[in-house]
Amino acid sequence: MSAHCQLTGARPGFGNNISHSHRRTSRRFDPNMQRKRYWLPSEGRYVRLTLAARAIRTVDSIGIEAAVARIRARGGKV
């Protein structure tokens, strides 16, 4: 699954693991991605979105219609 949120645009962050001896190795901080299916009443169909867990809470707050409008405004395909 792509580590990219369709709603918020969250992508992996990069940094370092630092050992006890202070050696550094690369690491990746992935967002908590989930695939979730929502009913879109205006189009009479289900849409499956790849969202970060934080974005799922945003959809619960603003509603699926507003969330899909934001995704389309960002140039995303739904």
Side-chain angles (χ1 to χ4, degrees):
M1 183 186 307
S2 172
H4 173 254
C5 178
Q6 288 181 283
L7 181 60
T8 62
R11 289 184 182 270
F14 295 89
N16 291 307
N17 281 324
I18 302 180
S19 71
H20 182 68
S21 64
H22 220 66
R23 290 178 60 94
R24 293 160 190 243
T25 55
S26 291
R27 65 161 296 175
R28 179 173 145 146
F29 296 91
D30 284 328
N32 183 6
M33 300 307 298
Q34 310 289 324
R35 281 181 63 81
K36 189 145 170 63
R37 194 174 82 142
Y38 290 98
W39 173 251
L40 194 57
S42 64
E43 298 181 16
R45 67 183 180 107
Y46 284 98
V47 292
R48 189 176 300 275
L49 301 175
T50 303
L51 302 171
R54 183 181 67 194
I56 292 173
R57 294 178 60 204
T58 302
V59 171
D60 291 343
S61 171
I62 66 173
I64 186 61
E65 298 288 346
V68 167
R70 283 189 193 180
I71 292 169
R72 288 181 172 148
R74 294 181 77 238
K77 182 173 178 270
V78 176

